[in-house]
PDB file of all heavy atoms in Angstrom:
ATOM      1  N   ASN A   1      -1.532  13.330  -6.213  1.00  0.00           N
ATOM      2  CA  ASN A   1      -2.010  13.364  -4.803  1.00  0.00           C
ATOM      3  C   ASN A   1      -1.787  12.009  -4.125  1.00  0.00           C
ATOM      4  O   ASN A   1      -1.368  11.955  -2.972  1.00  0.00           O
ATOM      5  CB  ASN A   1      -3.473  13.798  -4.759  1.00  0.00           C
ATOM      6  CG  ASN A   1      -4.037  13.703  -3.374  1.00  0.00           C
ATOM      7  OD1 ASN A   1      -3.617  14.415  -2.512  1.00  0.00           O
ATOM      8  ND2 ASN A   1      -5.025  12.826  -3.231  1.00  0.00           N
ATOM      9  N   GLU A   2      -2.077  10.940  -4.828  1.00  0.00           N
ATOM     10  CA  GLU A   2      -1.909   9.611  -4.261  1.00  0.00           C
ATOM     11  C   GLU A   2      -0.458   9.339  -3.962  1.00  0.00           C
ATOM     12  O   GLU A   2      -0.095   8.758  -2.943  1.00  0.00           O
ATOM     13  CB  GLU A   2      -2.457   8.537  -5.214  1.00  0.00           C
ATOM     14  CG  GLU A   2      -3.927   8.582  -5.452  1.00  0.00           C
ATOM     15  CD  GLU A   2      -4.708   8.350  -4.173  1.00  0.00           C
ATOM     16  OE1 GLU A   2      -4.295   7.447  -3.388  1.00  0.00           O
ATOM     17  OE2 GLU A   2      -5.713   9.039  -3.926  1.00  0.00           O
ATOM     18  N   VAL A   3       0.431   9.762  -4.866  1.00  0.00           N
ATOM     19  CA  VAL A   3       1.851   9.526  -4.708  1.00  0.00           C
ATOM     20  C   VAL A   3       2.404  10.333  -3.510  1.00  0.00           C
ATOM     21  O   VAL A   3       3.192   9.851  -2.728  1.00  0.00           O
ATOM     22  CB  VAL A   3       2.612   9.895  -5.980  1.00  0.00           C
ATOM     23  CG1 VAL A   3       4.123   9.876  -5.743  1.00  0.00           C
ATOM     24  CG2 VAL A   3       2.203   8.925  -7.122  1.00  0.00           C
ATOM     25  N   ILE A   4       1.955  11.587  -3.416  1.00  0.00           N
ATOM     26  CA  ILE A   4       2.438  12.468  -2.345  1.00  0.00           C
ATOM     27  C   ILE A   4       2.144  11.879  -0.978  1.00  0.00           C
ATOM     28  O   ILE A   4       2.938  11.988  -0.032  1.00  0.00           O
ATOM     29  CB  ILE A   4       1.827  13.860  -2.478  1.00  0.00           C
ATOM     30  CG1 ILE A   4       2.414  14.578  -3.694  1.00  0.00           C
ATOM     31  CG2 ILE A   4       2.072  14.727  -1.217  1.00  0.00           C
ATOM     32  CD1 ILE A   4       1.740  15.871  -4.068  1.00  0.00           C
ATOM     33  N   PHE A   5       0.961  11.297  -0.816  1.00  0.00           N
ATOM     34  CA  PHE A   5       0.548  10.768   0.460  1.00  0.00           C
ATOM     35  C   PHE A   5       0.949   9.337   0.709  1.00  0.00           C
ATOM     36  O   PHE A   5       0.545   8.717   1.718  1.00  0.00           O
ATOM     37  CB  PHE A   5      -0.978  10.928   0.632  1.00  0.00           C
ATOM     38  CG  PHE A   5      -1.438  12.312   0.985  1.00  0.00           C
ATOM     39  CD1 PHE A   5      -1.918  13.156   0.022  1.00  0.00           C
ATOM     40  CD2 PHE A   5      -1.357  12.763   2.327  1.00  0.00           C
ATOM     41  CE1 PHE A   5      -2.341  14.444   0.357  1.00  0.00           C
ATOM     42  CE2 PHE A   5      -1.807  14.045   2.662  1.00  0.00           C
ATOM     43  CZ  PHE A   5      -2.276  14.864   1.667  1.00  0.00           C
ATOM     44  N   LEU A   6       1.694   8.776  -0.205  1.00  0.00           N
ATOM     45  CA  LEU A   6       2.100   7.378  -0.058  1.00  0.00           C
ATOM     46  C   LEU A   6       3.004   7.198   1.193  1.00  0.00           C
ATOM     47  O   LEU A   6       3.986   7.916   1.352  1.00  0.00           O
ATOM     48  CB  LEU A   6       2.833   6.902  -1.273  1.00  0.00           C
ATOM     49  CG  LEU A   6       3.107   5.414  -1.402  1.00  0.00           C
ATOM     50  CD1 LEU A   6       1.834   4.639  -1.401  1.00  0.00           C
ATOM     51  CD2 LEU A   6       3.954   5.127  -2.678  1.00  0.00           C
ATOM     52  N   LYS A   7       2.604   6.293   2.080  1.00  0.00           N
ATOM     53  CA  LYS A   7       3.377   6.113   3.330  1.00  0.00           C
ATOM     54  C   LYS A   7       3.320   4.663   3.723  1.00  0.00           C
ATOM     55  O   LYS A   7       2.278   4.122   4.131  1.00  0.00           O
ATOM     56  CB  LYS A   7       2.725   6.930   4.463  1.00  0.00           C
ATOM     57  CG  LYS A   7       3.458   6.791   5.800  1.00  0.00           C
ATOM     58  CD  LYS A   7       2.735   7.575   6.896  1.00  0.00           C
ATOM     59  CE  LYS A   7       1.467   6.896   7.334  1.00  0.00           C
ATOM     60  NZ  LYS A   7       1.713   5.639   8.075  1.00  0.00           N
ATOM     61  N   GLU A   8       4.421   3.955   3.586  1.00  0.00           N
ATOM     62  CA  GLU A   8       4.494   2.540   3.902  1.00  0.00           C
ATOM     63  C   GLU A   8       5.752   2.141   4.688  1.00  0.00           C
ATOM     64  O   GLU A   8       6.306   1.116   4.459  1.00  0.00           O
ATOM     65  CB  GLU A   8       4.407   1.742   2.592  1.00  0.00           C
ATOM     66  CG  GLU A   8       3.185   1.977   1.761  1.00  0.00           C
ATOM     67  CD  GLU A   8       1.877   1.509   2.443  1.00  0.00           C
ATOM     68  OE1 GLU A   8       1.972   0.686   3.339  1.00  0.00           O
ATOM     69  OE2 GLU A   8       0.862   2.004   2.072  1.00  0.00           O
ATOM     70  N   GLU A   9       6.194   3.058   5.559  1.00  0.00           N
ATOM     71  CA  GLU A   9       7.506   2.837   6.191  1.00  0.00           C
ATOM     72  C   GLU A   9       7.674   1.526   6.912  1.00  0.00           C
ATOM     73  O   GLU A   9       8.668   0.856   6.841  1.00  0.00           O
ATOM     74  CB  GLU A   9       7.802   3.983   7.171  1.00  0.00           C
ATOM     75  CG  GLU A   9       8.337   5.257   6.536  1.00  0.00           C
ATOM     76  CD  GLU A   9       7.259   6.035   5.826  1.00  0.00           C
ATOM     77  OE1 GLU A   9       6.059   5.682   5.921  1.00  0.00           O
ATOM     78  OE2 GLU A   9       7.593   7.002   5.119  1.00  0.00           O
ATOM     79  N   ASP A  10       6.637   1.125   7.682  1.00  0.00           N
ATOM     80  CA  ASP A  10       6.822  -0.090   8.454  1.00  0.00           C
ATOM     81  C   ASP A  10       6.002  -1.264   7.909  1.00  0.00           C
ATOM     82  O   ASP A  10       5.713  -2.230   8.608  1.00  0.00           O
ATOM     83  CB  ASP A  10       6.463   0.136   9.906  1.00  0.00           C
ATOM     84  CG  ASP A  10       4.964   0.518  10.085  1.00  0.00           C
ATOM     85  OD1 ASP A  10       4.313   0.832   9.035  1.00  0.00           O
ATOM     86  OD2 ASP A  10       4.504   0.500  11.193  1.00  0.00           O
ATOM     87  N   LEU A  11       5.650  -1.178   6.602  1.00  0.00           N
ATOM     88  CA  LEU A  11       4.763  -2.155   6.064  1.00  0.00           C
ATOM     89  C   LEU A  11       5.333  -3.561   6.066  1.00  0.00           C
ATOM     90  O   LEU A  11       4.688  -4.494   6.520  1.00  0.00           O
ATOM     91  CB  LEU A  11       4.439  -1.765   4.597  1.00  0.00           C
ATOM     92  CG  LEU A  11       3.646  -2.789   3.769  1.00  0.00           C
ATOM     93  CD1 LEU A  11       2.264  -2.953   4.402  1.00  0.00           C
ATOM     94  CD2 LEU A  11       3.522  -2.344   2.338  1.00  0.00           C
ATOM     95  N   LEU A  12       6.553  -3.732   5.608  1.00  0.00           N
ATOM     96  CA  LEU A  12       7.049  -5.049   5.318  1.00  0.00           C
ATOM     97  C   LEU A  12       7.383  -5.878   6.599  1.00  0.00           C
ATOM     98  O   LEU A  12       7.392  -7.084   6.532  1.00  0.00           O
ATOM     99  CB  LEU A  12       8.327  -4.970   4.443  1.00  0.00           C
ATOM    100  CG  LEU A  12       8.039  -4.389   3.060  1.00  0.00           C
ATOM    101  CD1 LEU A  12       9.333  -4.369   2.254  1.00  0.00           C
ATOM    102  CD2 LEU A  12       6.996  -5.188   2.295  1.00  0.00           C
ATOM    103  N   HIS A  13       7.581  -5.203   7.697  1.00  0.00           N
ATOM    104  CA  HIS A  13       7.869  -5.949   8.935  1.00  0.00           C
ATOM    105  C   HIS A  13       6.724  -5.828   9.923  1.00  0.00           C
ATOM    106  O   HIS A  13       6.878  -6.133  11.105  1.00  0.00           O
ATOM    107  CB  HIS A  13       9.180  -5.486   9.535  1.00  0.00           C
ATOM    108  CG  HIS A  13       9.279  -4.013   9.818  1.00  0.00           C
ATOM    109  ND1 HIS A  13       9.814  -3.155   8.917  1.00  0.00           N
ATOM    110  CD2 HIS A  13       8.827  -3.301  10.870  1.00  0.00           C
ATOM    111  CE1 HIS A  13       9.747  -1.912   9.392  1.00  0.00           C
ATOM    112  NE2 HIS A  13       9.181  -1.984  10.601  1.00  0.00           N
ATOM    113  N   ASN A  14       5.556  -5.419   9.461  1.00  0.00           N
ATOM    114  CA  ASN A  14       4.372  -5.354  10.307  1.00  0.00           C
ATOM    115  C   ASN A  14       3.542  -6.645  10.117  1.00  0.00           C
ATOM    116  O   ASN A  14       2.982  -6.810   9.007  1.00  0.00           O
ATOM    117  CB  ASN A  14       3.528  -4.120   9.985  1.00  0.00           C
ATOM    118  CG  ASN A  14       2.414  -3.895  10.956  1.00  0.00           C
ATOM    119  OD1 ASN A  14       1.884  -4.826  11.559  1.00  0.00           O
ATOM    120  ND2 ASN A  14       2.067  -2.635  11.156  1.00  0.00           N
ATOM    121  N   LYS A  15       3.425  -7.465  11.105  1.00  0.00           N
ATOM    122  CA  LYS A  15       2.747  -8.724  10.975  1.00  0.00           C
ATOM    123  C   LYS A  15       1.221  -8.605  10.871  1.00  0.00           C
ATOM    124  O   LYS A  15       0.580  -9.544  10.521  1.00  0.00           O
ATOM    125  CB  LYS A  15       3.086  -9.636  12.188  1.00  0.00           C
ATOM    126  CG  LYS A  15       4.570 -10.002  12.243  1.00  0.00           C
ATOM    127  CD  LYS A  15       4.841 -10.900  13.413  1.00  0.00           C
ATOM    128  CE  LYS A  15       6.308 -11.277  13.446  1.00  0.00           C
ATOM    129  NZ  LYS A  15       6.624 -12.172  14.586  1.00  0.00           N
ATOM    130  N   GLU A  16       0.704  -7.444  11.163  1.00  0.00           N
ATOM    131  CA  GLU A  16      -0.719  -7.202  11.115  1.00  0.00           C
ATOM    132  C   GLU A  16      -1.254  -6.835   9.703  1.00  0.00           C
ATOM    133  O   GLU A  16      -2.421  -6.659   9.515  1.00  0.00           O
ATOM    134  CB  GLU A  16      -1.146  -6.107  12.108  1.00  0.00           C
ATOM    135  CG  GLU A  16      -0.896  -6.479  13.580  1.00  0.00           C
ATOM    136  CD  GLU A  16      -1.676  -7.733  13.981  1.00  0.00           C
ATOM    137  OE1 GLU A  16      -2.863  -7.838  13.606  1.00  0.00           O
ATOM    138  OE2 GLU A  16      -1.130  -8.554  14.671  1.00  0.00           O
ATOM    139  N   VAL A  17      -0.332  -6.723   8.765  1.00  0.00           N
ATOM    140  CA  VAL A  17      -0.765  -6.350   7.414  1.00  0.00           C
ATOM    141  C   VAL A  17      -1.562  -7.476   6.803  1.00  0.00           C
ATOM    142  O   VAL A  17      -1.159  -8.616   6.754  1.00  0.00           O
ATOM    143  CB  VAL A  17       0.468  -6.035   6.526  1.00  0.00           C
ATOM    144  CG1 VAL A  17       0.039  -5.832   5.072  1.00  0.00           C
ATOM    145  CG2 VAL A  17       1.154  -4.779   7.054  1.00  0.00           C
ATOM    146  N   LYS A  18      -2.751  -7.123   6.250  1.00  0.00           N
ATOM    147  CA  LYS A  18      -3.620  -8.117   5.609  1.00  0.00           C
ATOM    148  C   LYS A  18      -3.679  -7.914   4.122  1.00  0.00           C
ATOM    149  O   LYS A  18      -4.022  -8.813   3.391  1.00  0.00           O
ATOM    150  CB  LYS A  18      -5.054  -8.026   6.202  1.00  0.00           C
ATOM    151  CG  LYS A  18      -5.131  -8.292   7.696  1.00  0.00           C
ATOM    152  CD  LYS A  18      -4.732  -9.702   8.044  1.00  0.00           C
ATOM    153  CE  LYS A  18      -4.934 -10.034   9.522  1.00  0.00           C
ATOM    154  NZ  LYS A  18      -4.518 -11.388   9.862  1.00  0.00           N
ATOM    155  N   ASP A  19      -3.359  -6.729   3.646  1.00  0.00           N
ATOM    156  CA  ASP A  19      -3.472  -6.444   2.238  1.00  0.00           C
ATOM    157  C   ASP A  19      -2.520  -5.303   1.911  1.00  0.00           C
ATOM    158  O   ASP A  19      -2.567  -4.248   2.528  1.00  0.00           O
ATOM    159  CB  ASP A  19      -4.898  -6.036   1.896  1.00  0.00           C
ATOM    160  CG  ASP A  19      -5.110  -5.714   0.408  1.00  0.00           C
ATOM    161  OD1 ASP A  19      -4.534  -4.719  -0.057  1.00  0.00           O
ATOM    162  OD2 ASP A  19      -5.822  -6.489  -0.234  1.00  0.00           O
ATOM    163  N   LYS A  20      -1.602  -5.481   0.930  1.00  0.00           N
ATOM    164  CA  LYS A  20      -0.600  -4.469   0.648  1.00  0.00           C
ATOM    165  C   LYS A  20      -1.103  -3.493  -0.407  1.00  0.00           C
ATOM    166  O   LYS A  20      -0.384  -2.512  -0.712  1.00  0.00           O
ATOM    167  CB  LYS A  20       0.694  -5.129   0.174  1.00  0.00           C
ATOM    168  CG  LYS A  20       1.371  -5.937   1.273  1.00  0.00           C
ATOM    169  CD  LYS A  20       2.703  -6.476   0.856  1.00  0.00           C
ATOM    170  CE  LYS A  20       3.394  -7.290   1.983  1.00  0.00           C
ATOM    171  NZ  LYS A  20       4.683  -7.795   1.569  1.00  0.00           N
ATOM    172  N   GLY A  21      -2.244  -3.653  -0.989  1.00  0.00           N
ATOM    173  CA  GLY A  21      -2.841  -2.668  -1.887  1.00  0.00           C
ATOM    174  C   GLY A  21      -2.291  -2.717  -3.298  1.00  0.00           C
ATOM    175  O   GLY A  21      -2.736  -1.904  -4.111  1.00  0.00           O
ATOM    176  N   ILE A  22      -1.378  -3.637  -3.617  1.00  0.00           N
ATOM    177  CA  ILE A  22      -0.797  -3.648  -4.966  1.00  0.00           C
ATOM    178  C   ILE A  22      -1.860  -3.999  -5.974  1.00  0.00           C
ATOM    179  O   ILE A  22      -1.966  -3.311  -7.034  1.00  0.00           O
ATOM    180  CB  ILE A  22       0.341  -4.690  -5.015  1.00  0.00           C
ATOM    181  CG1 ILE A  22       1.586  -4.133  -4.290  1.00  0.00           C
ATOM    182  CG2 ILE A  22       0.704  -4.999  -6.453  1.00  0.00           C
ATOM    183  CD1 ILE A  22       2.284  -3.002  -5.040  1.00  0.00           C
ATOM    184  N   LEU A  23      -2.626  -5.057  -5.773  1.00  0.00           N
ATOM    185  CA  LEU A  23      -3.644  -5.503  -6.759  1.00  0.00           C
ATOM    186  C   LEU A  23      -4.646  -4.436  -7.020  1.00  0.00           C
ATOM    187  O   LEU A  23      -4.980  -4.118  -8.158  1.00  0.00           O
ATOM    188  CB  LEU A  23      -4.304  -6.786  -6.266  1.00  0.00           C
ATOM    189  CG  LEU A  23      -5.380  -7.350  -7.235  1.00  0.00           C
ATOM    190  CD1 LEU A  23      -4.784  -7.670  -8.610  1.00  0.00           C
ATOM    191  CD2 LEU A  23      -6.021  -8.612  -6.645  1.00  0.00           C
ATOM    192  N   SER A  24      -5.133  -3.808  -5.936  1.00  0.00           N
ATOM    193  CA  SER A  24      -6.100  -2.730  -6.085  1.00  0.00           C
ATOM    194  C   SER A  24      -5.559  -1.541  -6.866  1.00  0.00           C
ATOM    195  O   SER A  24      -6.223  -1.011  -7.771  1.00  0.00           O
ATOM    196  CB  SER A  24      -6.570  -2.218  -4.709  1.00  0.00           C
ATOM    197  OG  SER A  24      -7.187  -3.254  -3.993  1.00  0.00           O
ATOM    198  N   ALA A  25      -4.276  -1.200  -6.587  1.00  0.00           N
ATOM    199  CA  ALA A  25      -3.645  -0.100  -7.285  1.00  0.00           C
ATOM    200  C   ALA A  25      -3.481  -0.424  -8.776  1.00  0.00           C
ATOM    201  O   ALA A  25      -3.757   0.437  -9.634  1.00  0.00           O
ATOM    202  CB  ALA A  25      -2.284   0.183  -6.685  1.00  0.00           C
ATOM    203  N   ILE A  26      -3.159  -1.608  -9.121  1.00  0.00           N
ATOM    204  CA  ILE A  26      -2.969  -2.054 -10.535  1.00  0.00           C
ATOM    205  C   ILE A  26      -4.324  -1.950 -11.287  1.00  0.00           C
ATOM    206  O   ILE A  26      -4.380  -1.430 -12.376  1.00  0.00           O
ATOM    207  CB  ILE A  26      -2.370  -3.464 -10.614  1.00  0.00           C
ATOM    208  CG1 ILE A  26      -0.934  -3.459 -10.157  1.00  0.00           C
ATOM    209  CG2 ILE A  26      -2.497  -3.984 -12.076  1.00  0.00           C
ATOM    210  CD1 ILE A  26      -0.351  -4.868 -10.066  1.00  0.00           C
ATOM    211  N   ILE A  27      -5.355  -2.482 -10.658  1.00  0.00           N
ATOM    212  CA  ILE A  27      -6.684  -2.441 -11.285  1.00  0.00           C
ATOM    213  C   ILE A  27      -7.182  -1.022 -11.519  1.00  0.00           C
ATOM    214  O   ILE A  27      -7.612  -0.682 -12.627  1.00  0.00           O
ATOM    215  CB  ILE A  27      -7.714  -3.253 -10.423  1.00  0.00           C
ATOM    216  CG1 ILE A  27      -7.347  -4.740 -10.437  1.00  0.00           C
ATOM    217  CG2 ILE A  27      -9.088  -3.032 -10.963  1.00  0.00           C
ATOM    218  CD1 ILE A  27      -8.179  -5.543  -9.513  1.00  0.00           C
ATOM    219  N   ILE A  28      -7.052  -0.206 -10.509  1.00  0.00           N
ATOM    220  CA  ILE A  28      -7.509   1.178 -10.605  1.00  0.00           C
ATOM    221  C   ILE A  28      -6.649   1.967 -11.613  1.00  0.00           C
ATOM    222  O   ILE A  28      -7.173   2.736 -12.413  1.00  0.00           O
ATOM    223  CB  ILE A  28      -7.475   1.851  -9.254  1.00  0.00           C
ATOM    224  CG1 ILE A  28      -8.555   1.217  -8.309  1.00  0.00           C
ATOM    225  CG2 ILE A  28      -7.754   3.366  -9.360  1.00  0.00           C
ATOM    226  CD1 ILE A  28      -8.514   1.684  -6.869  1.00  0.00           C
ATOM    227  N   ALA A  29      -5.339   1.745 -11.599  1.00  0.00           N
ATOM    228  CA  ALA A  29      -4.457   2.455 -12.508  1.00  0.00           C
ATOM    229  C   ALA A  29      -4.764   2.089 -13.965  1.00  0.00           C
ATOM    230  O   ALA A  29      -4.799   2.972 -14.852  1.00  0.00           O
ATOM    231  CB  ALA A  29      -2.986   2.137 -12.197  1.00  0.00           C
ATOM    232  N   PHE A  30      -4.987   0.831 -14.269  1.00  0.00           N
ATOM    233  CA  PHE A  30      -5.346   0.418 -15.573  1.00  0.00           C
ATOM    234  C   PHE A  30      -6.649   1.045 -16.009  1.00  0.00           C
ATOM    235  O   PHE A  30      -6.819   1.514 -17.152  1.00  0.00           O
ATOM    236  CB  PHE A  30      -5.448  -1.093 -15.667  1.00  0.00           C
ATOM    237  CG  PHE A  30      -6.009  -1.604 -16.979  1.00  0.00           C
ATOM    238  CD1 PHE A  30      -5.190  -1.717 -18.104  1.00  0.00           C
ATOM    239  CD2 PHE A  30      -7.355  -1.937 -17.089  1.00  0.00           C
ATOM    240  CE1 PHE A  30      -5.683  -2.147 -19.323  1.00  0.00           C
ATOM    241  CE2 PHE A  30      -7.869  -2.366 -18.337  1.00  0.00           C
ATOM    242  CZ  PHE A  30      -7.055  -2.480 -19.446  1.00  0.00           C
TER     243      PHE A  30
END
């Protein structure tokens, strides 16, 4: 369900991004 709803199309060129969620995803996945 998390994978299906994954949506990050304009993430890398959006200057308003404060957190990309990678660290949280790694901790929760482990």
Side-chain angles (χ1 to χ4, degrees):
N1 173 63
E2 294 298 319
V3 172
I4 290 170
F5 280 100
L6 190 61
K7 179 183 75 69
E8 301 294 339
E9 279 76 7
D10 62 347
L11 173 64
L12 296 181
H13 54 267
N14 189 329
K15 296 181 179 180
E16 295 299 319
V17 172
K18 299 296 183 182
D19 180 293
K20 293 184 179 180
I22 287 289
L23 179 60
S24 298
I26 290 173
I27 292 173
I28 292 173
F30 172 81

